[in-house]
């Protein structure tokens, strides 16, 4: 029986990963450790709560005692726990330094006391590369993060790498592009647009909407992480991209189209300071292990819109409590 510790498992990607494991694997045990910050929800795990092979621990990855308890007898650690919103990191970086660097350090310190540990997957991000105007980043491209979120994520993943080199910890690092799909906290652009349109509200587009993002359906990401656990090489970094690049304004049009609406529902708002222009990943390394994206953006967006339409009970209470700046433009009205 394989035992997993999934940290940050009550968040968007972590909860999809737990579902992926239970959907695809037999004879496993999954333990989730999550602090339940604003973006973590116990409801994301409700389908598993009664299973005897599932366990939830509420706690902080910066707390060595809780981490020690959570890590007992596990073979695989997958660290999704993080402060994950770029705008919040620009507004107030401290929590990012704590969780995304010190939290990773705490996990690594405990992990090296566990001789039975076979894998430690550190979920990083393509944002550690900075942005790229032409071409795509490979795993050996220069690392030039440009905001406190991506800089702290880089700190965390390089620490993880140093534990591989120095202590022989079986670390693998993944760098994924922008994820979308069910259970994504509605401050992120796709669920923000979708839930606004369900309510007939305008969608706030930063600047002129020219920034380009590469969209990865969350289940494709989960399959990639699962593959890295099985076939990845310790000490290596793997890019995981959707290879579905689109400017934010094109994305707005695409989502408006799914609601049969036009551009009159777009509201241009003040741009994010230092907004990265474009991310793009070369994914040949993970493809050599046998991974493929199964969702193109059209298919993935339709599934996502349907999920939000059918799960209002999930997002309405969250959106009611959400920072209202996301609704109106985090950085204010257009100057
Ligand atoms: N969302 C994306 O597009 C994307 C892309 C690439 C990489 N990533 C990375 O994937 C991971 C998951 O992202 P997400 O979008 O699911 O984020 P999320 O904000 O939805 O979930 C993060 C989870 O971590 C938990 N958490 C935060 N601080 C914690 C702490 N100190 N101790 C324990 N738990 C804590 C939260 O409660 C939440 O459940 C992050 O590491 C993020 O950097 C995300």
């Amino acid at each position: 029986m394989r035992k997993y510790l999934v940290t940050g498992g009550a968040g968007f990607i972590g909860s999809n990963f737990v579902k992926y494991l239970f959907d695809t694997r037999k004879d496993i045990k999954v333990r989730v450790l999550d602090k339940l910050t604003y973006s973590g929800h116990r409801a994301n795990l409700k389908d598993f709560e009664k299973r005897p092979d599932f366990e939830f621990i509420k706690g902080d990855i910066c707390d060595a005692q809780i981490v020690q308890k959570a890590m007992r007898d596990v073979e695989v650690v997958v660290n999704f726990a993080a402060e994950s919103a770029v705008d919040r990191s620009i507004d107030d970086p401290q929590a990012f330094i704590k969780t995304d660097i010190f939290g990773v350090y705490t996990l690594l310190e405990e992990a090296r006391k566990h001789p039975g540990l076979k894998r430690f997957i550190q979920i990083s991000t393509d944002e550690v590369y900075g942005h790229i105007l032409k071409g795509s980043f490979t795993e050996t491209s220069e690392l030039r993060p440009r905001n406190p979120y991506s800089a702290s994520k880089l700190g965390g993943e390089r620490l993880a790498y140093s534990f591989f080199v120095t202590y022989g910890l079986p670390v693998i690092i993944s760098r994924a592009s922008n994820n979308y799909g069910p259970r994504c906290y509605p401050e992120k652009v796709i669920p923000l647009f979708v839930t606004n349109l369900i309510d007939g509200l305008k969608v706030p587009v930063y600047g002129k909407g020219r920034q380009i993002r590469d969209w990865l359906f969350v289940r494709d990401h989960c399959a990639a992480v699962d593959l890295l656990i099985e076939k990845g090489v310790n000490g290596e970094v793997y890019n995981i991209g959707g290879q579905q690049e689109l400017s934010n304004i094109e994305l707005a049009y695409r989502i408006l189209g799914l609601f049969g609406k036009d551009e009159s529902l777009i509201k241009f708002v003040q741009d994010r300071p230092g907004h990265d222009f474009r991310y793009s990943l070369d994914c040949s390394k993970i493809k050599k292990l046998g991974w493929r994206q199964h969702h193109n953006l059209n298919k993935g967006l339709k599934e996502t819109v349907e999920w939000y339409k059918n799960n209002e009970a999930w997002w309405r209470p969250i959106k009611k409590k959400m920072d209202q700046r996301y609704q109106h433009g985090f950085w204010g009205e257009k100057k």
Side-chain angles (χ1 to χ4, degrees):
M1 171 173 311
R2 175 165 280 182
K3 295 181 186 169
Y4 299 78
L5 172 63
V6 181
T7 56
F12 163 45
I13 308 174
S15 62
N16 277 284
F17 184 68
V18 174
K19 177 169 169 29
Y20 185 87
L21 285 178
F22 281 128
D23 284 349
T24 58
R25 301 215 162 266
K26 288 199 169 68
D27 206 24
I28 59 169
K29 273 199 172 168
V30 179
R31 186 177 295 141
V32 165
L33 171 66
D34 198 296
K35 187 180 174 184
L36 300 180
T37 66
Y38 75 95
S39 70
H41 302 280
R42 198 75 190 256
N44 287 347
L45 299 164
K46 69 174 174 15
D47 292 349
F48 323 114
E49 295 276 4
K50 291 202 173 104
R51 293 180 70 119
D53 45 4
F54 175 80
E55 186 189 350
F56 180 82
I57 299 177
K58 182 173 187 281
D60 192 330
I61 59 163
C62 301
D63 179 338
Q65 266 188 333
I66 289 204
V67 168
Q68 191 182 27
K69 186 177 152 204
M71 227 180 255
R72 71 183 187 278
D73 68 21
V74 302
E75 286 170 12
V76 178
V77 174
V78 188
N79 179 32
F80 291 99
E83 288 292 337
S84 67
V86 176
D87 288 320
R88 287 173 186 264
S89 83
I90 297 169
D91 215 26
D92 185 5
Q94 199 182 74
F96 290 74
I97 314 299
K98 279 189 184 151
T99 293
D100 300 2
I101 302 177
F102 188 77
V104 177
Y105 158 74
T106 310
L107 290 171
L108 293 165
E109 252 321 90
E110 288 308 318
R112 83 186 171 97
K113 295 175 195 158
H114 280 265
L117 197 74
K118 298 209 168 70
R119 292 283 198 214
F120 185 106
I121 310 284
Q122 173 59 19
I123 304 294
S124 189
T125 164
D126 62 350
E127 300 193 28
V128 297
Y129 294 113
H131 62 181
I132 190 165
L133 303 186
K134 281 191 187 146
S136 300
F137 293 117
T138 68
E139 288 81 354
T140 54
S141 296
E142 220 174 304
L143 301 166
R144 285 193 278 204
R146 293 165 26 99
N147 59 58
Y149 163 68
S150 47
S152 45
K153 288 296 292 183
L154 181 59
E157 67 142 83
R158 289 298 91 195
L159 259 180
Y161 180 71
S162 78
F163 272 60
F164 162 74
V165 175
T166 313
Y167 307 112
L169 201 73
V171 167
I172 292 177
I173 293 155
S174 70
R175 295 184 186 139
S177 65
N178 282 61
N179 280 225
Y180 69 105
R183 291 188 291 283
C184 184
Y185 189 81
E187 73 187 11
K188 301 279 168 76
V189 62
I190 288 181
L192 178 65
F193 285 8
V194 169
T195 55
N196 274 11
L197 290 173
I198 291 173
D199 282 343
L201 300 171
K202 290 192 175 187
V203 298
V205 172
Y206 282 178
K208 292 189 169 133
R210 288 195 185 130
Q211 285 87 0
I212 293 167
R213 295 292 177 265
D214 168 26
W215 290 101
L216 171 66
F217 192 67
V218 65
R219 202 148 48 239
D220 285 337
H221 185 186
C222 294
V225 172
D226 183 51
L227 181 69
L228 292 184
I229 294 169
E230 300 306 320
K231 294 194 179 158
V233 175
N234 290 338
E236 293 293 316
V237 175
Y238 295 87
N239 286 343
I240 310 171
Q243 300 190 296
Q244 299 281 303
E245 288 183 34
L246 207 68
S247 69
N248 290 339
I249 190 71
E250 287 170 311
L251 176 71
Y253 282 126
R254 200 71 83 89
I255 297 175
L256 282 163
L258 290 173
F259 282 86
K261 302 288 183 196
D262 65 22
E263 65 214 30
S264 61
L265 280 174
I266 293 178
K267 178 170 98 170
F268 291 99
V269 296
Q270 186 62 29
D271 209 347
R272 168 187 294 164
H275 203 168
D276 284 349
F277 184 72
R278 174 174 173 260
Y279 305 124
S280 181
L281 293 177
D282 179 320
C283 301
S284 17
K285 188 169 171 182
I286 191 162
K287 285 191 169 169
K288 280 192 195 129
L289 293 183
W291 177 78
R292 293 283 175 277
Q293 304 92 340
H294 290 287
H295 285 72
N296 64 29
L297 197 57
N298 280 340
K299 182 177 166 197
L301 275 181
K302 273 189 199 141
E303 195 174 324
T304 304
V305 169
E306 278 313 298
W307 190 86
Y308 282 89
K309 280 184 175 168
N310 294 329
N311 288 278
E312 293 197 11
W314 180 88
W315 61 264
R316 283 207 182 279
I318 295 175
K319 212 168 173 195
K320 220 170 160 182
K321 282 198 255 159
M322 195 174 88
D323 187 331
Q324 285 306 301
R325 285 179 294 178
Y326 283 102
Q327 196 72 11
H328 305 295
F330 196 87
W331 302 102
E333 298 290 323
K334 198 155 181 79
K335 287 186 189 129

